[in-house]
Amino acid sequence: MNTAAFLMMIFTTSFITGLTIYFFIKVLKAKPKQEPDSYSQNDHIKR
Amino acid sequence: MNQTKQAWGTRVGLILAMAGNAVGFGNFLRFPVQAIQNGGGAFIIPYLVSFVMLGIPLLFIEWSIGRFGGSYGFHSSPFMMQSMDRRRLWKYVGVFGIFSNIGIASYYCYMESWTLAYIFHSIIGTFNGMDQHQVVQVFNDYVSINKATLIPFEPIVFFLICLGINVYILSKGLCGGVEKVAKIGMPLLIVFGLLLAIRAVTLKAGTAGAIYDSSVGLNFLWTPDFDSIYNPKVWFAAASQIFFTLSLGMGSIQAYSSYLRKKDDIALNAMSAGWMNEFVEVVLGGAIIIPIAVGYLGIPKVQELASLGGLGLGFKTIPYLFSQWGPLMATIAGVMWFGLLFFAGITSSLAMGTPVQGFLEDEFGWSRKKTAITFGIIILIIGMPTVLFFNQGVFDEYDYWTGSFSLFVFAAFEAVLFAWFFGIKKGWEEINLGADIKVSKIFRFLIAYVTPVLLIIVFLGAIFTPTNNDWIAAFNNLLNGHGWSFDHESLVGKILNAGLKEQITATTDENVIGELKYRILLANLARLLLLSVFVGISLMVRKAYYRHKKEGRL
């Protein structure tokens, strides 16, 4: 690959993959809200 | 207070369903074609700028409108919008949020059914040993109802199967149907996409029949032509791509988020689902079709095929290229590619059913099952012309009016409603209510001023698209007193059937003229049908409005 294409591809894919993972991990780590919340399958979890 | 019994099971399930709503055929077929036609690697600059200035603000707006409307017990856009401002116009603007879902699902489910058919044909080895022309012919025969196919009336059979699957899943409700499919479909789609992407980027010239290394295709896609950034056409293409890829202006995001409670986050959810879509589109979508196609066909042929759109590459070319890998690998790759497209398609079509179901549930008190069956019947009736008259342009007609025009109108109005009528102060509070991230104040400014103006510009751009989308030449002509010439794909050109009429004047063959006149007739009938759907929904909304007023809900 030529340098310009390679750099463009690496920068773009890393940037987008990084942000996708960052926001998804933030979702996974977010503390659930007090019941009743919007999600039915976490009703048994103690907060 | 949510009146409905429907609810999301988990937060991850909601995000996967939202991402699935956004991820569609366009991620794999439209994005790479747009990129190579608009500056290669440099396209990513206007594309990401559009994502920040148009995409993310609209995601925040749509998630907010949905949760706000849902708190009043509304799960479709007409009364969500009406609950935000008392002016009566808004409920009719909101009709677009039901209409476009019906219109798009009508042709989208047909396209989705192709993927099912092609999985079937990949498994039974239909494409093995065929040359490229024969693979193209399989597709052409398939969409021509009167041509002999393996199963009699095959496209209709697969269309019915596809509708049946959609109806069944929708009847199971949000948690038991839509969310369950998203939780299976999205991870599978990503796994299939990653495997195909690895195969594509490791393609070597001289192995498995490939003529070029994958690097030739990747160079073709990613080499930046920075001069293209100064071309308005590229910016329109980038803005449009962001629009379509995120499923904005449809009313489906609002419908999904209407099942959230006031205190639950929407800001982080919107960012997570939005970036997940970008990952699938840019990282996976950019790594499959172009490197493989260029590896076997070379750049000039791919340029020629890309000029006809991504569908041709996806259905007419890819099966032939896979068949070069031997029968077993061709079957595995075919199932993965069309399976990936099927999951991309069904997670989107389910999202199209949800606002329609929400409307019928809210206004008629129907059960989930009844609303799902009704949606299926509506799509069968409205969608059948796209199946029967695909070659006569009815499919494209639906795509233009419901998949482009309606989206621009609806998104421009909802951005104006949110920022200028509901008010940016209340709107900003709504976005930040229960937020699990701190949303940058830049977005407040963008939502208040930039996004509505940009959307109005994009909408006007769609109306006044100049010939060949060449804005610089068009403005030069206008300034030199030569007037403005509309492209056939502009709103004006479409209404006047300019493209077909030009073809009629260019030929003397009576048969061709007859065929073109028939296409004009069908295009006009398709528009009439879509218009009557819009009017029908508007009348139902009007009736419901007076009932809500009487009950004091509005």
Side-chain angles (χ1 to χ4, degrees):
Chain A
M1 279 183 83
N2 66 54
T3 310
F6 181 74
L7 288 177
M8 202 73 199
M9 186 179 82
I10 292 296
F11 173 75
T12 306
T13 51
S14 316
F15 177 69
I16 290 175
T17 308
L19 281 173
T20 305
I21 294 170
Y22 170 75
F23 284 116
F24 194 62
I25 288 175
K26 260 190 116 55
V27 168
L28 295 177
K29 284 190 170 175
K31 265 178 81 176
K33 299 272 175 5
Q34 200 67 39
E35 287 293 345
D37 70 356
S38 308
Y39 310 107
S40 60
Q41 289 175 10
N42 64 0
D43 294 353
H44 61 287
I45 297 171
K46 284 188 183 164
R47 283 155 229 266
Chain B
M1 178 69 72
N2 278 347
Q3 309 274 315
T4 177
K5 288 175 191 162
Q6 292 298 321
W8 293 103
T10 61
R11 189 173 178 180
V12 169
L14 162 67
I15 289 170
L16 288 175
M18 275 287 193
N21 167 32
V23 172
F25 297 128
N27 292 56
F28 298 96
L29 304 176
R30 194 175 191 275
F31 169 76
V33 169
Q34 287 296 314
I36 59 173
Q37 288 175 341
N38 292 287
F43 179 70
I44 208 73
I45 295 168
Y47 175 83
L48 286 179
V49 170
S50 300
F51 181 58
V52 172
M53 303 218 333
L54 206 65
I56 295 175
L58 263 176
L59 284 174
F60 285 149
I61 289 172
E62 297 203 345
W63 277 77
S64 301
I65 290 176
R67 191 182 59 178
F68 183 84
S71 69
Y72 288 89
F74 299 124
H75 301 92
S76 62
S77 50
F79 294 110
M80 285 178 190
M81 295 179 92
Q82 191 65 71
S83 66
M84 298 178 83
D85 185 74
R86 295 180 72 84
R87 289 168 187 82
R88 293 178 176 197
L89 163 82
W90 295 116
K91 61 181 178 295
Y92 296 114
V93 174
V95 169
F96 279 105
I98 299 175
F99 166 74
S100 55
N101 284 289
I102 291 175
I104 296 170
S106 297
Y107 68 85
Y108 204 84
C109 285
Y110 180 42
M111 223 156 53
E112 202 177 302
S113 71
W114 297 350
T115 64
L116 281 180
Y118 270 61
I119 290 172
F120 169 73
H121 283 290
S122 297
I123 291 170
I124 64 168
T126 302
F127 308 112
N128 292 345
M130 282 187 174
D131 63 24
Q132 200 187 344
H133 176 75
Q134 287 170 315
V135 173
V136 171
Q137 201 51 45
V138 169
F139 182 82
N140 291 343
D141 287 347
Y142 183 85
V143 293
S144 310
I145 305 294
N146 53 349
K147 294 275 171 66
T149 44
L150 193 66
I151 304 168
F153 301 106
E154 198 175 315
I156 295 174
V157 172
F158 277 104
F159 182 54
L160 291 173
I161 293 171
C162 188
L163 273 186
I165 294 171
N166 274 277
V167 168
Y168 175 76
I169 297 166
L170 286 171
S171 72
K172 295 288 168 191
L174 274 186
C175 178
V178 173
E179 186 176 335
K180 216 176 242 180
V181 169
K183 279 178 168 173
I184 299 166
M186 283 303 289
L188 262 181
L189 178 150
I190 291 172
V191 169
F192 286 173
L194 281 172
L195 291 173
L196 286 168
I198 290 167
R199 180 73 185 97
V201 299
T202 54
L203 204 62
K204 282 256 171 264
T207 56
I211 307 165
Y212 302 102
D213 284 347
S214 61
S215 59
V216 178
L218 291 171
N219 275 338
F220 178 48
L221 181 65
W222 286 104
T223 302
D225 168 15
F226 288 110
D227 289 342
S228 67
I229 292 175
Y230 303 107
N231 189 343
K233 173 194 157 213
V234 173
W235 285 87
F236 272 117
S240 303
Q241 181 61 27
I242 280 298
F243 215 82
F244 297 133
T245 190
L246 293 170
S247 295
L248 297 167
M250 283 178 65
S252 50
I253 292 174
Q254 294 91 320
Y256 273 0
S257 74
S258 71
Y259 296 95
L260 289 175
R261 284 173 188 269
K262 272 266 175 203
K263 63 177 181 180
D264 278 310
D265 166 272
I266 52 170
L268 177 58
N269 286 355
M271 289 297 264
S272 183
W275 281 102
M276 208 176 277
N277 174 71
E278 293 312 298
F279 171 78
V280 173
E281 174 148 299
V282 179
V283 180
L284 299 182
I288 301 175
I289 200 163
I290 299 296
I292 297 179
V294 171
Y296 284 94
L297 304 171
I299 291 174
K301 183 72 183 166
V302 171
Q303 269 175 323
E304 183 195 323
L305 290 167
S307 69
L308 304 170
L311 279 184
L313 273 172
F315 289 90
K316 295 181 186 177
T317 310
I318 284 286
Y320 164 70
L321 305 182
F322 287 161
S323 71
Q324 306 303 301
W325 299 348
L328 180 66
M329 269 308 288
T331 303
I332 294 169
V335 169
M336 283 203 289
W337 171 247
F338 293 111
L340 166 157
L341 289 182
F342 174 71
F343 286 125
I346 196 159
T347 46
S348 301
S349 61
L350 292 173
M352 293 170 206
T354 305
V356 181
Q357 286 186 289
F359 179 73
L360 295 173
E361 266 182 340
D362 291 346
E363 308 309 332
F364 300 103
W366 288 1
S367 69
R368 207 69 183 172
K369 194 174 172 185
K370 195 170 171 184
T371 58
I373 294 168
T374 307
F375 176 71
I377 293 170
I378 293 170
I379 300 307
L380 178 64
I381 296 168
I382 313 286
M384 199 46 92
T386 69
V387 181
L388 298 175
F389 304 107
F390 176 83
N391 286 330
Q392 285 75 30
V394 171
F395 184 100
D396 295 334
E397 206 61 40
Y398 275 47
D399 183 31
Y400 181 80
W401 292 106
T402 62
S404 294
F405 174 74
S406 297
L407 307 191
F408 287 134
V409 176
F410 185 56
F413 271 107
E414 70 177 351
V416 167
L417 166 67
F418 191 81
W420 300 344
F421 287 89
F422 185 62
I424 190 62
K425 189 171 176 289
K426 273 160 75 183
W428 187 246
E429 281 169 11
E430 192 63 32
I431 290 168
N432 284 288
L433 195 64
D436 285 331
I437 48 167
K438 190 168 165 43
V439 184
S440 167
K441 283 201 172 151
I442 294 167
F443 286 107
R444 182 184 169 132
F445 173 76
L446 290 175
I447 291 169
Y449 306 107
V450 180
T451 309
V453 173
L454 274 181
L455 281 166
I456 292 168
I457 292 172
V458 170
F459 176 54
L460 292 176
I463 296 175
F464 299 111
T465 315
T467 305
N468 299 326
N469 217 351
D470 190 345
W471 291 86
I472 296 170
F475 278 112
N476 283 337
N477 282 341
L478 190 68
L479 293 173
N480 293 330
H482 299 303
W484 188 271
S485 101
F486 292 100
D487 191 79
H488 300 329
E489 291 303 310
S490 67
L491 180 78
V492 177
K494 272 280 175 188
I495 290 174
L496 298 174
N497 292 310
L500 292 169
K501 283 181 181 165
E502 192 179 275
Q503 286 179 48
I504 289 175
T505 49
T507 183
T508 50
D509 187 329
E510 283 302 318
N511 288 332
V512 176
I513 291 171
E515 173 67 24
L516 290 167
K517 282 185 175 170
Y518 182 52
R519 286 187 65 160
I520 290 177
L521 173 73
L522 286 173
N524 289 335
L525 286 174
R527 288 171 203 169
L528 205 61
L529 178 64
L530 292 174
L531 185 65
S532 57
V533 172
F534 189 90
V535 171
I537 302 167
S538 301
L539 291 173
M540 287 162 81
V541 165
R542 187 171 184 269
K543 200 176 166 192
Y545 172 73
Y546 287 110
R547 198 176 60 243
H548 290 317
K549 276 219 62 123
K550 217 172 165 181
E551 292 166 355
R553 289 178 70 190
L554 286 170

